[in-house]
Structures are given as C-alpha cells and as structure tokens.
Amino acid sequence: MNENPTFAPATGVGSMPGTDAREAAKTVTGSFEDFPFLPELPARGPGADMIGRTTGMLVELYARVEPSGWRIGDRPGRDTRRARSWLGEDLDALEEFTQGYEGQLKVQAVGPWTLAAALELRNGEAALSDAGACRDLAASLAEGLRLHLEEVRRRVPGAQLVLQLDEPSLIAVLRGQVKSASGYRTHRAVDRQVVESTLRDVVGVHGDGPVVVHSCAPDVPFALLRRAGAAAISFDFSLLTERDDDAIGEAVEGGTRLFAGVVPGTDGPLSDPAGSVMGVRTLWRRLGLSPGLLAEAVTLTPSCGLAGASPEYARRALAHCVRAARSLADNPE
C-alpha cells in the first residue's frame, strides 16, 4: 500500500445516467482531465447494475438473475455473458477517450460485504448467512479484480489506477441489519475483525496502488476502513454528524484522503461552488485542522452515483465538483 498517495482534487463516484458507453466516457474524461473514472450505466438493465457488473468479474463463481435478485449458479449463463459484454463495451469506450492519458484513473467494483449481503445462495438466503460462502466470494472477487486491473492497465498503460470498492451495505452487515429471505428476521452481525481482515485481503489485490472505499450510508466506519488499508474513504458529506468528528480528524492526521460527496446526486439547483464546500470548511474549523491541509486531504465528488440524474444534470454536477475543488484550493479559510 502506498502510505500517503496524492489524489487529484475532484472525481465522480461511478454510475452515470443513460445507456451510451461512448457518451458516458466522453463526459467523464472531458469533465475530469486529471482523475476520470470508468463509468457504470445501470439503466441498461440487469448485468449493468452494480451487483451484476461485479458478479461478471468473479472468477469460478457465476450468478444469474432471479425474481428476488442475483443468485449464485453453477455455470456462466446469459446474465454473466451480458455483464461481461457491457463491461467490455465500457472499457472499449474508455480506451478510446484516454489515448496517451497518464494521470489517475479510477475503476469501481462492489466490495466483498455488500456483495455477500446482495448475492443469494441456492437456498435463496444471502451468502452473508454462510461464513464459508463469504470466504469463497471474497477470494473469487479478489482474483477477478486482479484480472480487471490488469486489463485496464493494458488498455490505458500510462494511467495510475485507483481501485474503488463500493460498500453501501457495510454498516448493515456490521450491525446485523441485513434482512433474511423471508424478511421476518435479520442475519447475525459479522464480527468486526472478520469484516476488517476480509476487506484487507481484497484491498491487497491492488498491491502498491491506492484503494478507496465508498459508502453513502450514515456512520461510515472510518477507523475500520483505515485499518483494512483504505488510502481514501468516500462518503456522502451531508450524512456526517459531529459524532464522526474524532474519526475524521484521526483519518486526516493519519494521511487518509477524504472523498467528500458534496454535490447532490439527483437533479436540483446547484449552489455556487463556494457554497458547496462551506460545510467542508466548517468541519475543518471545528476539528482545528490547518486550512492549508484542505486541498491535500479532500477530493470532491457527487454525494453518490449519478444513475438517477438526467444526463444534462450529471454533466453539470461533474463540472460543479471541479469548480468547487478550485474554490476550496483558492480559498481554504
């Protein structure tokens, strides 16, 4: 793991509206000249959604769509082929718009615990209900991510790859809030040390490259994610409370980058760029941190993915992140 990698000031989270891979890649690379990302287009349907897309990356594990969701199966079927085909299409588009590119480039996949909470075993229960299934799933994911990163390196050889693991269900897993198939009970909370060591194993597949863990749920476990090796933690800034202050202060002082989601992910009026980062400046003052640290410690993003936004708003939101980052750097006080 790089101790304290330097990140560009703004990027996106992952998902984009629409179904056109070339249009999405063009928008993302045009918006973020120094930190584009591989767009995800869930509007295309099953296999383009975050769970389906990541199951398409798994090695020697396959999944298919059932009425209740994604279920582990014995062999690659139509759903796996579709997920892999769309990922290939997205990579083709990204490669086209990153010729000669040499900056940071982010790719996203669902992390092991959100995957275990979402994927069903043959009996219809979440993989989360079976410790052995969780281990197998994490190992398959780790190998799949290793191959995916190799493929992206081959296509965009000059890029410094950043891996983002999406873990929106992590808090529910830690608290025993993931519902069973019947909906009448919940799966037992997973031991924090098991959660941490599994995450550390998956983070480790990127070797010396930086890994961001993204969670747009309240009460992000900053300390646990740092111990698991995350170089950066991505979150919805509007969900922070003063309860998070100590963990955030420790993260910043320990060199962990904050990917602060300050721009709404769905259509609505955007404030001026300085207004979007007012909360970040307020937090900094409350923590007693040096304003000079702000640009070094914070990358600005939308609050979550932009799949639910209109294409026009998504373009404005990405451009707004860049302008807000500039405002933060020019006037950190």
Side-chain angles (χ1 to χ4, degrees), residues 225-290:
L225 296 175
R226 291 176 59 219
R227 289 194 304 270
I233 298 169
S234 169
F235 54 94
D236 179 345
F237 191 84
S238 71
L239 298 178
L240 287 187
T241 69
E242 292 194 20
R243 278 202 315 270
D244 298 304
D245 281 8
D246 289 349
I248 287 178
E250 284 167 22
V252 171
E253 284 168 354
T256 305
R257 184 81 173 193
L258 305 179
F259 279 40
V262 296
V263 177
T266 49
D267 291 43
L270 291 169
S271 69
D272 64 299
S276 293
V277 290
M278 197 157 52
V280 181
R281 291 196 184 97
T282 304
L283 170 69
W284 232 245
R285 281 196 294 275
R286 205 164 68 224
L287 295 176
L289 293 166
S290 153

Side-chain angles (χ1 to χ4, degrees), residues 1 4 48 50 72 82 101 109 138 154-155 190 219 221 263 279 297 302:
M1 243 335 294
N4 294 325
M50 62 190 271
I72 293 170
R82 189 190 294 130
Y101 177 70
R154 188 181 63 72
R155 288 168 174 266
V190 180
D219 300 324
V263 177

Side-chain angles (χ1 to χ4, degrees), residues 68 70-71 119-127 129 180-182 187:
S68 51
W70 284 90
R71 184 171 295 184
L119 270 185
E120 298 173 359
L121 300 172
R122 289 173 184 81
N123 65 2
E125 285 297 350
S129 63
S180 66
S182 68
H187 295 291

Side-chain angles (χ1 to χ4, degrees), residues 97 225 323:
F97 289 101
L225 296 175
R323 285 198 296 274

Side-chain angles (χ1 to χ4, degrees), residues 27-317:
T27 298
V28 163
T29 53
S31 301
F32 300 114
E33 290 174 11
D34 48 6
F35 202 178
F37 60 94
L38 177 64
E40 302 162 5
L41 300 173
R44 291 182 295 200
D49 60 300
M50 62 190 271
I51 299 297
R53 183 181 185 85
T54 302
T55 62
M57 296 180 193
L58 297 176
V59 172
E60 292 179 7
L61 266 182
Y62 311 103
R64 62 177 187 273
V65 180
E66 297 285 340
S68 51
W70 284 90
R71 184 171 295 184
I72 293 170
D74 297 320
R75 60 182 69 82
R78 183 185 59 199
D79 298 322
T80 299
R81 286 193 294 274
R82 189 190 294 130
R84 290 176 177 173
S85 166
W86 274 328
L87 180 59
E89 199 178 289
D90 294 338
L91 287 167
D92 288 345
L94 184 74
E95 185 178 359
E96 179 184 344
F97 289 101
T98 51
Q99 295 293 310
Y101 177 70
E102 293 191 334
Q104 287 177 321
L105 172 64
K106 184 164 68 69
V107 296
Q108 307 82 219
V110 175
W113 293 108
T114 296
L115 204 56
L119 270 185
E120 298 173 359
L121 300 172
R122 289 173 184 81
N123 65 2
E125 285 297 350
L128 190 64
S129 63
D130 181 322
C134 289
R135 284 193 294 274
D136 291 347
L137 195 53
S140 171
L141 174 65
E143 180 59 14
L145 287 174
R146 194 183 62 72
L147 295 172
H148 179 52
L149 289 163
E150 264 179 23
E151 169 77 354
V152 181
R153 266 187 215 103
R154 188 181 63 72
R155 288 168 174 266
V156 195
Q160 297 134 40
L161 294 189
V162 176
L163 172 63
Q164 176 178 304
L165 297 174
D166 291 319
E167 282 284 14
S169 300
L170 185 60
I171 300 300
V173 167
L174 287 165
R175 292 185 176 166
Q177 293 170 337
V178 176
K179 281 192 161 47
S180 66
S182 68
Y184 293 122
R185 58 180 188 86
T186 54
H187 295 291
R188 251 200 322 269
V190 180
D191 181 276
R192 293 181 82 86
Q193 286 178 309
V194 173
V195 168
E196 187 184 315
S197 69
T198 300
L199 276 168
R200 190 180 298 114
D201 290 345
V202 177
V203 165
V205 301
H206 197 19
D208 291 335
V211 176
V212 185
V213 179
H214 169 70
S215 173
C216 49
D219 300 324
V220 174
F222 287 92
L224 183 153
L225 296 175
R226 291 176 59 219
R227 289 194 304 270
I233 298 169
S234 169
F235 54 94
D236 179 345
F237 191 84
S238 71
L239 298 178
L240 287 187
T241 69
E242 292 194 20
R243 278 202 315 270
D244 298 304
D245 281 8
D246 289 349
I248 287 178
E250 284 167 22
V252 171
E253 284 168 354
T256 305
R257 184 81 173 193
L258 305 179
F259 279 40
V262 296
V263 177
T266 49
D267 291 43
L270 291 169
S271 69
D272 64 299
S276 293
V277 290
M278 197 157 52
V280 181
R281 291 196 184 97
T282 304
L283 170 69
W284 232 245
R285 281 196 294 275
R286 205 164 68 224
L287 295 176
L289 293 166
S290 153
L293 261 181
L294 257 176
E296 285 171 38
V298 177
T299 291
L300 297 183
T301 71
S303 58
C304 208
L306 293 167
S310 66
E312 201 271 328
Y313 175 81
R315 280 191 291 275
R316 284 196 298 127

